[in-house]
Amino acid sequence: MSSTVKPRARTQPEKWVAYGAGNALLGLRAVTSLPIAYVVDDTPGFAGGELDGLEIHASSRLGKENPDNLMILVCANTTMGILGISRRLLGLGFKPGIHFIDCSRLQAAPMARRLQEDLGIRADLDRMNAVRSLALALRPRNLSTIAGSWLFLELLQSLPRSAVGAVAECGVYQGANALIASILSAPLAEREYDLYDSFEGLTEFSAADPSSRRSEFSDVNLNEVELLFANVNNVRIIKGRFDQTMPLQSPRPHSLVYVDCDLKEPTLYCCRHFWPQIVPGGYLMTHDYWFPAAKLPAGAKPPFSGVREAFDQFCDEEGLRPVVFPETSHAVLKKL
Ligand SMILES: C[S@@+](CC[C@H](N)C(=O)[O-])C[C@H]1O[C@@H](n2cnc3c(N)ncnc32)[C@H](O)[C@@H]1O
């Protein structure tokens, strides 16, 4: 009987090339020193430019490389982005794990170090692999990023027994992060999990927010989100604007609150609303906190810069300092 042996991925390729000239690449470069030769990106107008000192080429340039010496790093923060680039690479004859990996594979180690050093959390890298496989297989688009959902799970896992309280997610979209957490986290199943969203996309733009991103996240169907969680007993879906729905809930202890709503005013509102309800040992986490100083190529989506303004304002009000994860653009506060 013959069998096919999958060749082992090369850990020391002669040449690294990044695919994706955006935040995912810059977040990794902020915390690692990968020797990347250049970046490819097929977004119209990107080729010929540069990002953080790296030349940008069209992906056709990869055809000139010797695949045996090459590792392509797929740099995208959404699962749809990773899958889109991976399909293109498969079409060009490159093999997953041998010729290309996605950035979540390199984000976990530096994040685990920071979790240990700054929050005393011993992270589980096997859990990261489980999150990755599940996130890539799910239909809902995961905007929290693969390693961001893993971070959420690590915080849940680390909660001390004394940190009794509900979990809330403020900004749910198609429910991907919530679904991954509901499937993979045993500690979450023992807590009430409230999912807050307008389910109508972004609305409350201030001058600090990028107005060009006004139309995002309206492609969501509440019935489908409800269907995903129909048999998950601890989940409650609370539809409406945060400032209209949150005041209607009775204040109660919370152990982890995840704010992922992209805009300044709603972020500030959620932080101020929930922080007093978070129990000692619990966490407040936000997405979209870190964005690069390096200029993105002309035509790239601007970052949700209002979130950092809001979170910094909240930290100043409370005299707090967040632990920052540039890899996925998250920031975490621990309640003492
Ligand atoms: C980036 S998406 C959330 C992604 C999600 N955590 C995931 O796992 O994919 C941001 C969401 O915040 C919601 N949102 C933004 N501002 C809001 C507000 N003021 N009230 C309610 N929902 C809001 C939007 O409707 C959108 O679905």
Side-chain angles (χ1 to χ4, degrees), residues 51-134:
L51 178 67
D52 200 19
L54 296 172
E55 285 179 12
I56 308 176
H57 296 270
S59 64
S60 52
R61 163 84 187 248
L62 294 170
K64 297 187 185 141
E65 297 289 351
N66 174 358
D68 297 334
N69 300 332
L70 186 70
M71 181 56 85
I72 304 162
L73 182 60
V74 176
C75 290
N77 272 333
T78 67
T79 46
M80 299 316 280
I82 291 173
L83 288 169
I85 294 173
S86 301
R87 286 190 194 110
R88 165 99 179 120
L89 289 171
L90 288 170
L92 291 171
F94 295 106
K95 301 260 177 283
I98 314 244
H99 303 125
F100 68 92
I101 56 173
D102 72 72
C103 59
S104 71
R105 301 267 298 269
L106 298 185
Q107 289 167 335
M111 289 176 74
R113 268 197 303 280
R114 220 161 308 124
L115 279 167
Q116 178 72 65
E117 285 165 12
D118 295 345
L119 292 166
I121 295 175
R122 223 174 124 173
D124 180 345
L125 294 174
D126 287 337
R127 195 165 17 245
M128 172 70 184
N129 292 336
V131 173
R132 183 177 172 281
S133 302
L134 189 54

Coordinates of all heavy atoms in Angstrom, one line a residue, residues 51-134:
L51 N 5.8 50.1 1.5 CA 5.2 50.0 2.9 C 6.3 49.8 3.9 O 6.9 48.7 3.8 CB 4.1 48.9 2.9 CG 3.4 48.8 4.2 CD1 2.5 50.0 4.5 CD2 2.5 47.5 4.2
D52 N 6.5 50.7 4.8 CA 7.4 50.5 5.9 C 8.8 50.1 5.3 O 9.5 49.2 5.9 CB 6.9 49.4 6.8 CG 7.5 49.5 8.2 OD1 8.1 50.5 8.5 OD2 7.5 48.4 8.9
G53 N 9.2 50.7 4.2 CA 10.5 50.4 3.7 C 10.5 49.2 2.7 O 11.6 48.9 2.2
L54 N 9.4 48.5 2.6 CA 9.4 47.3 1.7 C 8.8 47.7 0.4 O 7.7 48.4 0.3 CB 8.5 46.2 2.3 CG 9.0 45.6 3.7 CD1 7.9 44.7 4.2 CD2 10.3 44.9 3.5
E55 N 9.4 47.2 -0.7 CA 8.8 47.5 -2.1 C 7.5 46.6 -2.2 O 7.5 45.5 -1.7 CB 9.8 47.0 -3.1 CG 10.9 47.9 -3.4 CD 11.9 47.4 -4.5 OE1 11.5 46.4 -5.2 OE2 13.0 47.9 -4.5
I56 N 6.5 47.2 -2.8 CA 5.3 46.5 -3.1 C 5.2 46.1 -4.6 O 5.5 46.9 -5.5 CB 4.0 47.3 -2.8 CG1 4.1 47.9 -1.4 CG2 2.7 46.4 -3.0 CD1 2.9 48.8 -1.0
H57 N 5.0 44.8 -4.8 CA 4.9 44.2 -6.2 C 3.5 43.6 -6.4 O 2.8 43.2 -5.4 CB 6.0 43.2 -6.4 CG 7.4 43.8 -6.4 ND1 8.0 44.3 -7.5 CD2 8.2 43.9 -5.3 CE1 9.2 44.7 -7.1 NE2 9.4 44.5 -5.8
A58 N 3.2 43.3 -7.7 CA 2.0 42.5 -7.9 C 2.3 41.1 -7.6 O 3.5 40.7 -7.7 CB 1.6 42.7 -9.4
S59 N 1.3 40.2 -7.3 CA 1.6 38.9 -6.9 C 2.2 38.0 -8.1 O 2.8 37.0 -7.8 CB 0.3 38.2 -6.4 OG -0.6 38.1 -7.4
S60 N 2.1 38.5 -9.3 CA 2.7 37.8 -10.4 C 4.2 37.7 -10.2 O 4.8 36.8 -10.8 CB 2.4 38.5 -11.8 OG 2.7 39.8 -11.7
R61 N 4.8 38.6 -9.5 CA 6.2 38.5 -9.2 C 6.6 37.2 -8.5 O 7.8 36.7 -8.7 CB 6.6 39.7 -8.3 CG 7.9 39.7 -7.5 CD 9.0 40.2 -8.4 NE 10.3 40.0 -7.7 CZ 11.1 40.9 -7.3 NH1 10.7 42.2 -7.5 NH2 12.2 40.7 -6.7
L62 N 5.7 36.6 -7.8 CA 6.0 35.3 -7.1 C 6.4 34.2 -8.1 O 7.1 33.3 -7.8 CB 4.8 34.9 -6.3 CG 4.5 35.8 -5.1 CD1 3.1 35.4 -4.5 CD2 5.6 35.7 -4.0
G63 N 5.9 34.3 -9.4 CA 6.2 33.3 -10.4 C 7.7 33.3 -10.7 O 8.2 32.3 -11.3
K64 N 8.4 34.4 -10.4 CA 9.9 34.4 -10.7 C 10.7 33.8 -9.6 O 11.9 33.7 -9.7 CB 10.3 35.9 -10.9 CG 9.7 36.6 -12.0 CD 10.3 37.9 -12.3 CE 9.5 38.7 -13.4 NZ 9.4 40.1 -13.1
E65 N 10.1 33.4 -8.5 CA 10.8 32.9 -7.3 C 11.0 31.4 -7.4 O 10.2 30.7 -8.0 CB 10.1 33.2 -6.0 CG 9.9 34.7 -5.7 CD 11.2 35.4 -5.3 OE1 12.2 34.7 -5.1 OE2 11.2 36.6 -5.2
N66 N 12.0 30.9 -6.8 CA 12.2 29.5 -6.6 C 11.4 29.0 -5.4 O 11.8 29.4 -4.3 CB 13.7 29.2 -6.4 CG 14.0 27.7 -6.2 OD1 13.0 26.9 -6.1 ND2 15.2 27.3 -6.0
P67 N 10.4 28.3 -5.6 CA 9.5 27.9 -4.4 C 10.2 27.1 -3.4 O 9.8 27.2 -2.2 CB 8.4 27.0 -5.1 CG 8.6 27.0 -6.5 CD 9.9 27.7 -6.8
D68 N 11.3 26.5 -3.7 CA 12.0 25.7 -2.7 C 12.7 26.5 -1.7 O 13.1 26.0 -0.6 CB 13.0 24.7 -3.4 CG 12.3 23.7 -4.3 OD1 11.2 23.5 -4.0 OD2 12.9 23.3 -5.3
N69 N 13.0 27.8 -2.0 CA 13.7 28.6 -1.1 C 12.8 29.6 -0.4 O 13.3 30.5 0.3 CB 14.8 29.4 -1.8 CG 15.8 28.5 -2.5 OD1 16.0 27.4 -2.0 ND2 16.4 29.0 -3.6
L70 N 11.5 29.5 -0.6 CA 10.6 30.7 -0.3 C 9.6 30.3 0.7 O 9.1 29.2 0.8 CB 9.9 31.0 -1.6 CG 9.0 32.2 -1.7 CD1 9.8 33.5 -1.6 CD2 8.2 32.2 -3.0
M71 N 9.3 31.3 1.6 CA 8.1 31.1 2.5 C 7.3 32.4 2.3 O 7.8 33.5 2.5 CB 8.5 30.9 3.9 CG 7.3 30.8 4.9 SD 6.2 29.4 4.4 CE 6.9 28.0 5.2
I72 N 6.0 32.3 1.9 CA 5.1 33.4 1.7 C 4.3 33.6 3.0 O 3.7 32.6 3.4 CB 4.2 33.2 0.5 CG1 5.1 33.0 -0.8 CG2 3.3 34.4 0.2 CD1 4.4 32.4 -2.0
L73 N 4.3 34.8 3.5 CA 3.5 35.0 4.7 C 2.2 35.7 4.3 O 2.2 36.9 3.9 CB 4.4 35.9 5.7 CG 3.8 36.2 7.0 CD1 3.5 35.0 7.8 CD2 4.8 37.1 7.8
V74 N 1.1 35.0 4.5 CA -0.2 35.6 4.1 C -0.6 36.6 5.3 O -0.8 36.2 6.4 CB -1.3 34.5 4.0 CG1 -2.6 35.1 3.7 CG2 -0.9 33.6 2.9
C75 N -0.6 37.9 4.9 CA -0.9 38.9 5.9 C -2.3 39.5 5.7 O -2.4 40.5 5.0 CB 0.2 40.0 5.9 SG 1.8 39.4 6.4
A76 N -3.3 39.0 6.4 CA -4.6 39.5 6.4 C -5.2 39.3 7.7 O -5.0 38.3 8.4 CB -5.4 38.8 5.3
N77 N -6.1 40.2 8.1 CA -6.6 40.1 9.5 C -8.0 39.4 9.5 O -8.4 38.9 10.5 CB -6.7 41.5 10.1 CG -5.4 41.8 10.9 OD1 -4.7 40.9 11.3 ND2 -5.1 43.1 11.0
T78 N -8.7 39.4 8.3 CA -10.0 38.7 8.3 C -9.8 37.3 7.8 O -8.9 37.1 7.0 CB -11.0 39.5 7.5 OG1 -10.6 39.4 6.1 CG2 -11.1 40.9 7.9
T79 N -10.7 36.4 8.2 CA -10.6 35.1 7.6 C -10.9 35.1 6.1 O -10.3 34.3 5.4 CB -11.6 34.1 8.4 OG1 -12.9 34.8 8.5 CG2 -11.1 33.8 9.7
M80 N -11.8 36.0 5.7 CA -12.0 36.0 4.2 C -10.8 36.5 3.5 O -10.5 35.9 2.4 CB -13.2 37.0 3.9 CG -14.5 36.6 4.5 SD -14.9 34.9 4.4 CE -15.5 34.8 2.7
G81 N -10.1 37.4 4.1 CA -8.8 37.9 3.5 C -7.8 36.7 3.4 O -7.2 36.5 2.3
I82 N -7.6 36.0 4.4 CA -6.7 34.9 4.4 C -7.1 33.8 3.4 O -6.2 33.4 2.6 CB -6.6 34.2 5.8 CG1 -5.9 35.2 6.8 CG2 -5.8 32.9 5.8 CD1 -5.9 34.7 8.3
L83 N -8.3 33.5 3.4 CA -8.8 32.5 2.4 C -8.6 32.9 1.0 O -8.2 32.2 0.1 CB -10.2 32.1 2.7 CG -10.4 31.3 4.0 CD1 -11.9 31.1 4.4 CD2 -9.8 29.9 3.9
G84 N -8.9 34.2 0.7 CA -8.8 34.8 -0.6 C -7.4 34.7 -1.2 O -7.1 34.2 -2.3
I85 N -6.4 35.1 -0.3 CA -5.0 35.1 -0.7 C -4.6 33.6 -0.8 O -3.8 33.2 -1.8 CB -4.2 35.8 0.3 CG1 -4.5 37.3 0.3 CG2 -2.7 35.6 0.0 CD1 -3.8 38.2 1.4
S86 N -5.0 32.8 0.1 CA -4.6 31.3 0.0 C -5.0 30.7 -1.3 O -4.3 29.9 -1.9 CB -5.1 30.6 1.2 OG -4.7 31.2 2.4
R87 N -6.3 31.0 -1.7 CA -6.8 30.4 -2.9 C -5.9 30.9 -4.1 O -5.6 30.1 -5.0 CB -8.3 30.8 -3.1 CG -9.2 30.0 -2.2 CD -10.6 30.2 -2.6 NE -11.4 29.7 -1.4 CZ -12.1 30.5 -0.6 NH1 -12.2 31.7 -0.8 NH2 -12.8 29.9 0.4
R88 N -5.6 32.1 -4.1 CA -4.7 32.7 -5.2 C -3.4 31.9 -5.2 O -2.9 31.5 -6.3 CB -4.5 34.2 -5.0 CG -3.4 34.8 -5.8 CD -4.0 35.5 -7.0 NE -2.9 36.2 -7.7 CZ -2.5 35.9 -9.0 NH1 -3.2 35.0 -9.7 NH2 -1.5 36.5 -9.6
L89 N -2.8 31.7 -4.0 CA -1.5 31.0 -4.0 C -1.6 29.6 -4.4 O -0.7 29.1 -5.1 CB -0.9 31.1 -2.6 CG -0.5 32.5 -2.2 CD1 -0.1 32.6 -0.7 CD2 0.8 33.0 -3.0
L90 N -2.7 28.9 -4.0 CA -2.9 27.5 -4.5 C -3.0 27.5 -6.0 O -2.4 26.6 -6.7 CB -4.2 27.0 -3.9 CG -4.2 26.7 -2.4 CD1 -5.6 26.4 -1.9 CD2 -3.3 25.5 -2.1
G91 N -3.7 28.5 -6.6 CA -3.8 28.6 -8.0 C -2.5 28.8 -8.7 O -2.3 28.4 -9.9
L92 N -1.5 29.4 -8.0 CA -0.2 29.7 -8.6 C 0.7 28.5 -8.3 O 1.9 28.5 -8.7 CB 0.4 30.9 -7.9 CG -0.2 32.3 -8.3 CD1 0.4 33.4 -7.4 CD2 0.0 32.6 -9.8
G93 N 0.2 27.4 -7.7 CA 0.9 26.2 -7.5 C 1.7 26.1 -6.2 O 2.4 25.1 -5.9
F94 N 1.5 27.1 -5.3 CA 2.1 27.0 -4.0 C 1.3 26.1 -3.0 O 0.1 26.1 -3.1 CB 2.3 28.4 -3.4 CG 3.2 29.3 -4.2 CD1 2.7 30.3 -5.0 CD2 4.6 29.1 -4.1 CE1 3.6 31.1 -5.7 CE2 5.5 29.9 -4.9 CZ 5.0 30.9 -5.7
K95 N 2.0 25.5 -2.1 CA 1.4 24.5 -1.2 C 1.3 25.1 0.2 O 2.3 25.6 0.8 CB 2.2 23.2 -1.1 CG 2.4 22.5 -2.4 CD 1.4 21.4 -2.6 CE 1.4 20.7 -3.9 NZ 0.8 21.4 -5.0
P96 N 0.1 24.9 0.9 CA -0.1 25.5 2.2 C 0.9 24.8 3.2 O 1.0 23.6 3.1 CB -1.5 25.2 2.6 CG -2.0 24.2 1.6 CD -1.1 24.3 0.4
G97 N 1.5 25.5 4.1 CA 2.4 24.9 5.1 C 3.8 24.7 4.6 O 4.7 24.7 5.4
I98 N 3.9 24.5 3.3 CA 5.2 24.3 2.7 C 5.8 25.6 2.1 O 6.9 26.0 2.4 CB 5.1 23.2 1.6 CG1 4.2 22.1 2.1 CG2 6.5 22.9 1.0 CD1 4.7 20.8 2.3
H99 N 4.9 26.2 1.3 CA 5.3 27.5 0.6 C 4.7 28.7 1.3 O 5.2 29.8 1.0 CB 5.0 27.4 -0.9 CG 5.6 26.3 -1.6 ND1 4.8 25.4 -2.3 CD2 6.9 25.8 -1.6 CE1 5.6 24.4 -2.8 NE2 6.9 24.7 -2.4
F100 N 3.5 28.5 1.9 CA 2.9 29.7 2.6 C 2.2 29.3 3.9 O 1.8 28.2 4.1 CB 2.0 30.4 1.6 CG 0.7 29.6 1.2 CD1 -0.5 29.8 2.0 CD2 0.7 28.8 0.1 CE1 -1.6 29.2 1.6 CE2 -0.5 28.1 -0.3 CZ -1.7 28.3 0.5
I101 N 2.3 30.3 4.8 CA 1.5 30.2 6.1 C 0.8 31.5 6.2 O 1.2 32.5 5.6 CB 2.5 29.9 7.3 CG1 3.5 31.0 7.4 CG2 3.1 28.5 7.2 CD1 4.4 30.9 8.6
D102 N -0.2 31.6 7.1 CA -0.8 32.9 7.4 C -0.3 33.5 8.7 O 0.3 32.8 9.5 CB -2.3 32.7 7.4 CG -2.9 32.0 8.6 OD1 -2.8 32.7 9.7 OD2 -3.3 30.9 8.5
C103 N -0.5 34.8 8.8 CA 0.2 35.5 9.8 C -0.2 35.1 11.2 O 0.6 35.2 12.2 CB 0.0 37.0 9.7 SG -1.8 37.5 9.7
S104 N -1.4 34.5 11.4 CA -1.8 34.0 12.7 C -0.8 33.0 13.3 O -0.6 32.9 14.5 CB -3.2 33.5 12.7 OG -3.2 32.2 12.1
R105 N -0.1 32.3 12.4 CA 0.9 31.3 12.9 C 2.1 32.0 13.5 O 2.7 31.4 14.3 CB 1.3 30.4 11.7 CG 0.2 29.7 11.0 CD 0.0 28.3 11.5 NE 1.2 27.5 11.4 CZ 1.5 26.7 10.3 NH1 0.6 26.6 9.3 NH2 2.5 25.9 10.3
L106 N 2.3 33.2 13.2 CA 3.5 33.9 13.8 C 3.1 34.9 14.8 O 3.9 35.4 15.5 CB 4.3 34.7 12.7 CG 4.9 33.8 11.6 CD1 5.7 34.6 10.6 CD2 5.7 32.7 12.1
Q107 N 1.8 35.2 14.9 CA 1.3 36.1 15.9 C 1.3 35.5 17.3 O 1.4 36.2 18.3 CB -0.1 36.6 15.6 CG -0.1 37.5 14.3 CD -1.5 37.8 13.8 OE1 -2.4 36.9 14.0 NE2 -1.7 38.9 13.1
A108 N 1.1 34.2 17.4 CA 0.8 33.6 18.7 C 2.0 33.7 19.7 O 1.8 34.0 20.8 CB 0.4 32.1 18.5
A109 N 3.2 33.4 19.2 CA 4.3 33.4 20.1 C 4.6 34.7 20.8 O 4.7 34.8 22.0 CB 5.6 32.9 19.4
P110 N 4.7 35.8 20.0 CA 4.9 37.1 20.8 C 3.7 37.5 21.7 O 3.9 38.1 22.7 CB 5.1 38.1 19.6 CG 4.7 37.5 18.4 CD 4.8 36.0 18.6
M111 N 2.5 37.1 21.2 CA 1.4 37.4 22.1 C 1.4 36.6 23.4 O 1.1 37.1 24.5 CB 0.0 37.1 21.3 CG -0.2 38.1 20.2 SD -1.6 37.8 19.2 CE -3.0 38.2 20.3
A112 N 1.8 35.3 23.2 CA 1.9 34.5 24.4 C 2.9 35.0 25.4 O 2.7 35.0 26.6 CB 2.3 33.0 24.0
R113 N 4.0 35.5 24.9 CA 5.1 36.2 25.8 C 4.5 37.3 26.5 O 4.7 37.5 27.7 CB 6.3 36.6 24.9 CG 7.4 35.6 24.8 CD 8.7 36.2 24.4 NE 8.6 36.9 23.1 CZ 8.6 36.3 21.9 NH1 8.7 35.0 21.8 NH2 8.5 37.0 20.8
R114 N 3.7 38.2 25.8 CA 3.2 39.4 26.5 C 2.1 39.0 27.5 O 2.0 39.6 28.5 CB 2.6 40.3 25.4 CG 2.9 41.8 25.8 CD 2.7 42.7 24.5 NE 3.5 42.2 23.5 CZ 3.0 41.8 22.3 NH1 1.8 42.0 22.0 NH2 3.8 41.4 21.3
L115 N 1.3 37.9 27.1 CA 0.3 37.5 28.1 C 1.0 37.0 29.4 O 0.5 37.3 30.5 CB -0.5 36.3 27.5 CG -1.6 36.7 26.5 CD1 -2.1 35.5 25.7 CD2 -2.8 37.3 27.3
Q116 N 2.1 36.3 29.3 CA 2.8 35.8 30.4 C 3.4 37.0 31.2 O 3.2 37.1 32.4 CB 3.9 34.8 30.0 CG 4.7 34.3 31.1 CD 4.0 33.3 32.0 OE1 3.6 32.2 31.5 NE2 3.7 33.7 33.2
E117 N 4.1 37.8 30.5 CA 4.9 38.9 31.2 C 4.0 40.0 31.8 O 4.2 40.5 32.9 CB 5.9 39.6 30.2 CG 7.1 38.7 29.9 CD 7.9 39.1 28.7 OE1 7.6 40.2 28.2 OE2 8.7 38.3 28.2
D118 N 3.0 40.4 31.0 CA 2.2 41.6 31.5 C 0.9 41.2 32.2 O 0.4 42.0 32.9 CB 1.8 42.4 30.3 CG 3.1 43.0 29.7 OD1 4.2 43.0 30.3 OD2 3.0 43.5 28.5
L119 N 0.4 40.0 32.0 CA -0.9 39.6 32.6 C -0.8 38.3 33.4 O -1.8 37.9 34.0 CB -2.0 39.5 31.6 CG -2.4 40.8 30.9 CD1 -3.2 40.6 29.6 CD2 -3.2 41.7 31.9
G120 N 0.4 37.7 33.4 CA 0.6 36.5 34.2 C -0.2 35.3 33.7 O -0.5 34.4 34.4
I121 N -0.5 35.3 32.4 CA -1.4 34.2 31.8 C -0.5 33.3 31.0 O 0.3 33.7 30.2 CB -2.4 34.8 30.9 CG1 -3.4 35.7 31.7 CG2 -3.1 33.7 30.1 CD1 -4.4 36.4 30.8
R122 N -0.6 32.0 31.3 CA 0.2 31.0 30.6 C -0.7 30.5 29.4 O -1.7 29.8 29.6 CB 0.5 29.8 31.5 CG 1.9 29.3 31.3 CD 2.2 28.3 32.2 NE 2.7 27.1 31.5 CZ 3.2 26.1 32.0 NH1 3.3 26.0 33.3 NH2 3.6 25.1 31.2
A123 N -0.4 31.0 28.2 CA -1.3 30.8 27.1 C -1.1 29.3 26.5 O 0.0 28.7 26.7 CB -1.0 31.8 26.0
D124 N -2.1 28.9 25.9 CA -2.1 27.5 25.3 C -2.1 27.6 23.8 O -3.1 28.0 23.2 CB -3.4 26.8 25.8 CG -3.5 25.4 25.3 OD1 -2.8 25.0 24.4 OD2 -4.3 24.6 25.8
L125 N -1.0 27.2 23.2 CA -0.8 27.4 21.8 C -1.6 26.3 21.0 O -2.0 26.6 19.8 CB 0.7 27.3 21.4 CG 1.5 28.5 21.9 CD1 3.0 28.3 21.6 CD2 1.0 29.8 21.3
D126 N -2.0 25.2 21.6 CA -2.9 24.3 21.0 C -4.3 24.9 20.8 O -5.0 24.6 19.8 CB -3.0 23.0 21.8 CG -1.7 22.1 21.7 OD1 -1.0 22.3 20.7 OD2 -1.5 21.3 22.6
R127 N -4.7 25.7 21.8 CA -6.0 26.3 21.6 C -5.9 27.3 20.4 O -6.9 27.4 19.7 CB -6.3 27.1 22.9 CG -7.7 27.5 23.0 CD -8.2 27.9 24.4 NE -7.2 28.3 25.4 CZ -7.0 27.6 26.5 NH1 -7.8 26.5 26.8 NH2 -6.1 28.0 27.4
M128 N -4.8 27.9 20.2 CA -4.7 28.8 19.1 C -4.9 28.0 17.8 O -5.6 28.5 16.8 CB -3.3 29.4 19.1 CG -2.9 30.2 17.8 SD -3.9 31.7 17.7 CE -3.3 32.3 16.1
N129 N -4.4 26.8 17.7 CA -4.6 26.0 16.4 C -6.0 25.7 16.3 O -6.6 25.7 15.1 CB -3.7 24.7 16.5 CG -2.3 25.0 16.5 OD1 -1.9 26.1 15.9 ND2 -1.4 24.2 17.0
A130 N -6.7 25.4 17.4 CA -8.1 25.0 17.3 C -8.9 26.3 16.8 O -9.8 26.1 15.9 CB -8.7 24.6 18.6
V131 N -8.6 27.4 17.3 CA -9.3 28.7 16.9 C -9.1 28.9 15.4 O -10.0 29.2 14.7 CB -8.8 29.9 17.7 CG1 -9.4 31.2 17.2 CG2 -9.2 29.7 19.2
R132 N -7.9 28.7 15.0 CA -7.5 29.0 13.6 C -8.3 28.1 12.7 O -8.9 28.5 11.7 CB -6.0 28.8 13.4 CG -5.5 29.1 12.0 CD -4.0 28.9 11.9 NE -3.7 29.1 10.5 CZ -3.9 28.1 9.6 NH1 -4.3 26.9 10.0 NH2 -3.6 28.3 8.4
S133 N -8.3 26.8 13.0 CA -9.0 25.8 12.1 C -10.5 26.2 12.0 O -11.1 26.2 11.0 CB -8.9 24.4 12.6 OG -7.5 24.1 12.7
L134 N -11.1 26.4 13.2 CA -12.5 26.7 13.3 C -12.8 28.0 12.5 O -13.8 28.1 11.8 CB -12.9 26.8 14.8 CG -14.4 26.9 15.1 CD1 -15.2 25.7 14.4 CD2 -14.7 26.8 16.6

